[in-house]
Amino acid sequence: MTDSNDTVFGRILRGEIPCDQVYADEYCLAFRDLTPQAPLHVLVIPREHLISLGQAEQRHGELLGHLLLVAAKVARQEGFDSFRTVINTGAEAGQTVFHLHLHVLGGRSLGWPPG
Ligand code: AMP
């Protein structure tokens, strides 16, 4: 990581603020959302600071696939085989933390289309 990653998730990755961790490996970290929108609401974030999916390049393909596999693993580990993964990209789409993250939501009926 070459930038300062002055986001709340950068601070979590550096251990400066705590999180309720559910999974970690050398590429990513998964922890419970501070303001859960469903009984299962976990965030999966890469250790590399990617601002959003919009900044992803071809070289990130393997990492992005890994994040999806971890999302499924975490949902399974938490006892959910029905779940939704969401990636908000850009402020208009609802992104508030500018470090790429996957939301993993489950445990209640989720409407479609999303609001
Ligand atoms: P987004 O709006 O897609 O950028 O999602 C950011 C998410 O990060 C929101 O669901 C917040 O509730 C969550 N969040 C913000 N700060 C923290 C934190 N310190 N620990 C866990 N989740 C957080």
Side-chain angles (χ1 to χ4, degrees):
M1 196 166 73
T2 51
D3 64 0
S4 63
N5 191 2
D6 192 25
T7 68
V8 66
F9 296 166
R11 293 199 281 278
I12 286 173
L13 284 165
R14 290 192 296 271
E16 293 166 9
I17 58 172
C19 71
D20 188 356
Q21 183 181 309
V22 296
Y23 176 86
D25 65 27
E26 68 179 296
Y27 303 109
C28 69
L29 183 66
F31 51 91
R32 294 187 202 285
D33 197 292
L34 204 56
T35 313
Q37 302 301 316
L40 172 70
H41 190 173
V42 164
L43 301 171
V44 183
I45 69 172
R47 293 190 185 277
E48 177 179 346
H49 185 204
L50 258 175
I51 290 168
S52 76
L53 187 58
Q55 268 68 46
E57 299 172 5
Q58 196 62 37
R59 68 186 169 89
H60 294 114
E62 202 172 329
L63 174 63
L64 294 172
H66 182 69
L67 297 177
L68 282 172
L69 290 171
V70 168
K73 186 199 292 259
V74 164
R76 209 165 39 241
Q77 170 184 300
E78 295 285 314
F80 297 89
D81 47 38
S82 181
F83 59 92
R84 180 177 292 177
T85 48
V86 174
I87 303 175
N88 296 323
T89 303
E92 198 178 357
Q95 186 175 7
T96 59
V97 178
F98 290 88
H99 180 119
L100 173 67
H101 50 282
L102 280 70
H103 296 259
V104 186
L105 298 143
R108 70 168 170 86
S109 183
L110 297 165
W112 193 264

